[in-house]
Amino acid sequence: MAAKATFSANRRSSRSDAFLVLVLFLLSIPEGHSLEGFCAVGGDSDCGLSSHKILIKGGTVVNAHHKVVADVYIEDGVIVSVRSNIRVADDVKVIDATGKYVMPGGIDPHTHLEMEFMGTVTIDDFFTGQAAALAGGTTMHIDFVIPINGNLSAGFESYMNKAKKSAMDYGFHMAITKWDDRVSKEMEVMVNENGINSFKFFMAYKGSLMISDELLLEGLKKCKSLGAIAMVHAENGDAVAEGQKRMIELGITGPEGHALSRPPVLEGEATARAIRLANFVNTPLYVVHVMSVDAMEEIAKARKAGQRVIGEPVVSGLILDDSWLWHTDFTTASKYVMSPPIRKSGHDKALQAALSTGVLQLVGTDHCTFNSTQKAFGSEDFRKIPNGVNGIEERMHLVWNRMVESGQMSVTDFVRVTSTECAKIFNIYPQKGAILEGSDADIIILNPNASFKVATASHHSRTDTNVYEGMTGKGKVEVTISQGRVVWEDGKLKVTPGSGRYIRMPPFGYRFDGIEKADAAYLASLNAPVRRTKATA
């Protein structure tokens, strides 16, 4: 109840400043950046302020566990009723969803908006990135807070300021980049006061974000005590640095050198190491952006043995292969540089199969966008190309087309991997990730018979490239409802900067159920200490 009250207070405050924030945002847009598809300022009096009451009629309501033809009635941002033949008054906006799917809005567990990285800042901020998300059917995302000089509180404050322009619900993970008593205490504050229940440890990026095994062990123990999910970027950073040196010595300085310097074996090794350390501590582990068969197989083996390991593939790993990195045009090739790298053809199919069978549990994007000018920083040295690709707008469409249209996945499983499982892992279900009475009214209407096409000219990200350029498919999000308001309809966005809400995520989600029993069983199995007679001289 306290959290709900906080959301309401933040919402009222943000509306009073919305126009000022919008004006400041518009002034910050680079010359030549198109606003096509956005609600015009001063034009549509209903910009971002659609009806408080909505009835979605006749659609197939899909949850992760069940689907049924029913109506959905929404009032003041909350789902009030899900049943057949709901009657409403004339002041209610009615949307006909006959022949379409009504699903929970997507939740993207992995984004980097307005992040300082490799000497620059990602091009999408908390407004443009979220606008793109809403146009693609994602209604919440969880971003990664990067500490300032290792200071968690300073990093959190910085990101809360960045998010003042947000247009939809969001949460935060927290990165850990060093270890001392202050960091340990600050982790307690993040969990108990700031609503963060996950911490990320980078096993790569030597010299900047990378942590040692000693730090990782301390972090895993602290996460366990706090009921927070430990997350890892799993690549062997020392070996990657050696691989980069090797490529440069061979005269390979272009984008292909990026993939060649950090092969799948280095992702597999780090994944295995993190899994074993998490097993030693007996705490849940979340492996972000699983990009290779090597890493996936380590996760599969651990899960088969009963370990609590979560595997997150991202859209680029599921959809693309690394052939683009060998393109002769630098601008084209460099836009595909991310870490871990996009892999050779075959890894994508294996990751799809792992997702469809439950070996991997949910789909993120690692949306971390840099424009072609920023990517050109590494035109003479691939090590200087800012790492990251887009995906926050494209995720729902591409996963539907590749997994559901192909028959690899059911409609209910689609909801699970794009929304519900994320809400459960981060302990905000059924507030999020479900179409149930009392759940937040974050809803999409997807037309399975409509087609989509990905194009830089029409996407809503600020970046001037798109790694999915020209891709087409079936299954289009025609309506997005966020916080009980229609924000995407008829190809038009109705979004207001400052209307987003910070979602606090409590600790000790379901992945921690039974941990204490496993610990007790371990202690009972030791048969130690042994009482011995003293040795005689």
Side-chain angles (χ1 to χ4, degrees):
M1 293 298 291
K4 285 283 188 180
T6 301
F7 299 155
S8 298
N10 289 344
R11 196 174 184 181
R12 288 192 297 271
S13 174
S14 64
R15 284 177 183 167
S16 65
D17 296 328
F19 183 75
L20 175 61
V21 175
L22 179 57
V23 171
L24 291 174
F25 161 70
L26 291 170
L27 290 174
S28 72
I29 296 173
E31 183 177 358
H33 179 73
S34 173
L35 278 179
E36 181 180 357
F38 285 84
C39 185
V41 179
D44 184 353
S45 62
D46 191 38
C47 187
L49 298 174
S50 54
S51 175
H52 287 275
K53 301 177 182 179
I54 302 171
L55 177 66
I56 304 172
K57 286 192 65 67
T60 300
V61 177
V62 186
N63 282 298
H65 64 286
H66 184 244
K67 65 177 181 177
V68 63
V69 176
D71 299 342
V72 180
Y73 178 60
I74 300 163
E75 191 169 317
D76 294 329
V78 176
I79 297 171
V80 175
S81 183
V82 182
R83 58 182 175 82
S84 300
N85 301 317
I86 299 175
R87 297 183 180 275
V88 294
D90 292 339
D91 64 338
V92 176
K93 176 181 175 66
V94 178
I95 302 174
D96 184 4
T98 303
K100 302 172 185 179
Y101 291 114
V102 181
M103 300 185 284
I107 307 175
D108 189 339
H110 191 153
T111 62
H112 297 282
L113 302 182
E114 204 170 331
M115 181 181 73
E116 297 178 15
F117 187 55
M118 297 184 72
T120 186
V121 181
T122 54
I123 198 69
D124 276 323
D125 61 23
F126 276 81
F127 181 78
T128 61
Q130 291 184 355
L134 291 168
T138 288
T139 54
M140 180 179 170
H141 72 109
I142 311 177
D143 210 81
F144 286 88
V145 173
I146 307 299
I148 296 176
N149 297 322
N151 188 304
L152 276 56
S153 296
F156 180 77
E157 182 179 354
S158 172
Y159 271 74
M160 288 298 285
N161 285 329
K162 292 177 184 181
K164 285 181 178 178
K165 62 176 76 71
S166 65
M168 73 182 202
D169 291 353
Y170 62 95
F172 285 139
H173 311 289
M174 174 67 71
I176 302 295
T177 55
K178 73 172 190 177
W179 190 262
D180 55 29
D181 289 342
R182 180 179 178 179
V183 170
S184 179
K185 291 292 184 184
E186 282 195 309
M187 286 176 71
E188 297 174 14
V189 174
M190 293 301 119
V191 172
N192 298 324
E193 298 180 21
N194 294 340
I196 289 176
N197 67 4
S198 50
F199 295 91
K200 182 179 181 181
F201 302 87
F202 290 87
M203 302 172 77
Y205 300 121
K206 186 174 182 178
S208 57
L209 298 173
M210 178 179 161
I211 51 89
S212 65
D213 285 356
E214 180 183 10
L215 190 159
L216 179 56
L217 272 170
E218 292 296 330
L220 290 170
K221 291 190 295 182
K222 191 67 177 183
C223 283
K224 179 180 180 179
S225 71
L226 293 172
I229 295 288
M231 315 175 83
V232 288
H233 172 138
E235 288 182 288
N236 187 312
D238 289 320
V240 167
E242 176 62 25
Q244 291 175 329
K245 179 183 176 182
R246 180 188 301 173
M247 292 304 113
I248 296 299
E249 290 174 348
L250 291 171
I252 302 172
T253 60
E256 70 278 12
H258 177 75
L260 293 170
S261 70
R262 48 210 310 155
V265 65
L266 302 188
E267 185 185 355
E269 185 279 331
T271 302
R273 181 159 36 103
I275 286 172
R276 283 158 176 76
L277 292 178
N279 187 45
F280 176 66
V281 174
N282 188 30
T283 195
L285 182 72
Y286 184 118
V287 183
V288 303
H289 47 43
V290 178
M291 298 293 287
S292 66
V293 171
D294 304 55
M296 179 271 289
E297 288 181 342
E298 294 294 341
I299 293 168
K301 183 167 41 175
R303 288 177 60 84
K304 186 176 181 180
Q307 192 174 341
R308 301 162 191 248
V309 181
I310 303 158
E312 171 210 88
V314 290
V315 179
S316 53
L318 291 168
I319 301 295
L320 302 172
D321 64 61
D322 72 350
S323 59
W324 290 99
L325 290 166
W326 273 259
H327 198 281
T328 54
D329 175 65
F330 176 84
T331 298
T332 299
S334 64
K335 70 181 180 180
Y336 293 92
V337 169
M338 65 172 291
S339 294
I342 297 166
R343 304 300 186 184
K344 291 184 180 297
S345 180
H347 288 268
D348 52 343
K349 301 296 190 299
L351 295 176
Q352 291 170 28
L355 182 66
S356 68
T357 56
V359 171
L360 302 175
Q361 287 72 54
L362 73 169
V363 181
T365 61
D366 196 6
H367 183 88
C368 185
T369 50
F370 299 96
N371 63 22
S372 56
T373 300
Q374 293 171 302
K375 291 280 189 175
F377 294 166
S379 60
E380 303 299 324
D381 184 344
F382 68 84
R383 296 172 297 181
K384 298 179 182 179
I385 301 172
N387 290 196
V389 301
N390 61 290
I392 201 169
E393 183 170 359
E394 297 80 12
R395 178 181 72 125
M396 300 290 280
H397 290 111
L398 293 175
V399 173
W400 176 276
N401 183 68
R402 186 58 56 94
M403 301 303 296
V404 181
E405 276 297 312
S406 67
Q408 295 186 76
M409 180 173 286
S410 68
V411 179
T412 52
D413 278 342
F414 172 81
V415 169
R416 175 178 56 81
V417 303
T418 59
S419 182
T420 306
E421 187 61 24
C422 182
K424 288 183 175 181
I425 290 170
F426 297 106
N427 212 14
I428 51 174
Y429 179 89
Q431 178 189 355
K432 302 290 185 184
I435 299 183
L436 299 171
E437 292 181 7
S439 297
D440 286 355
D442 290 347
I443 296 173
I444 61 171
I445 300 175
L446 184 144
N447 185 344
N449 298 313
S451 300
F452 68 85
K453 181 176 182 178
V454 179
T456 305
S458 58
H459 74 200
H460 296 81
S461 167
R462 292 178 74 186
T463 187
D464 59 353
T465 63
N466 193 309
V467 294
Y468 309 104
E469 183 73 39
M471 288 191 175
T472 60
K474 290 187 68 176
K476 185 177 182 180
V477 175
E478 295 185 335
V479 177
T480 303
I481 297 170
S482 172
Q483 301 177 22
R485 299 181 183 279
V486 176
V487 294
W488 171 255
E489 189 176 26
D490 299 326
K492 185 177 182 181
L493 270 171
K494 297 181 179 181
V495 287
T496 304
S499 62
R501 304 177 299 184
Y502 176 57
I503 303 299
R504 296 173 180 272
M505 298 178 290
F508 292 104
Y510 86 98
R511 295 282 175 166
F512 284 87
D513 291 351
I515 285 280
E516 70 287 349
K517 294 180 180 179
D519 284 341
Y522 164 73
L523 292 174
S525 72
L526 297 179
N527 296 317
V530 176
R531 292 184 180 180
R532 292 183 173 89
T533 58
K534 291 185 178 180
T536 58

